[in-house]
Amino acid sequence: MAVRGAGLFFPRKPETLLGDTPVQFNLQPIEKTITAFLLLGISLCAVIVTAGCVNPEETGPADTLYLGNVVTMDDKNPTAEAVAVKD
């Protein structure tokens, strides 16, 4: 028995290749693999994005700390209570 559709020839429906017994496909391993690759891809993207956010040269403690009323010469923040300086 053959099935014709849209100009293509299909020998039988895939679900009845073994006669009248329907074929059951086990997609669980494929779904687990796809999920694992998606999680791996998302994790790698997160690592790449966050790795660029940290500059190791700027993340140490300050060498000098000035406390008091400091004039900053910035129009939005004209004064500050403390300034940390790294040499």
Side-chain angles (χ1 to χ4, degrees):
M1 179 174 144
V3 177
R4 288 195 175 268
L8 300 173
F9 177 75
F10 300 103
R12 291 190 106 173
K13 292 182 180 180
E15 60 269 5
T16 59
L17 288 176
L18 300 175
D20 293 332
T21 307
V23 177
Q24 296 180 357
F25 297 101
N26 185 6
L27 297 178
Q28 189 173 9
I30 295 172
E31 291 171 354
K32 286 183 179 180
T33 304
I34 291 172
T35 303
F37 277 116
L38 284 174
L39 289 175
L40 179 65
I42 291 170
S43 299
L44 286 175
C45 288
V47 167
I48 290 171
V49 168
T50 57
C53 295
V54 178
N55 188 353
E57 296 173 359
E58 298 178 4
T59 58
D63 295 324
T64 308
L65 183 63
Y66 296 104
L67 299 175
N69 196 9
V70 181
V71 178
T72 63
M73 305 302 288
D74 183 13
D75 292 335
K76 294 181 181 177
N77 299 312
T79 60
E81 294 181 5
V83 175
V85 178
K86 179 162 178 69
D87 292 334

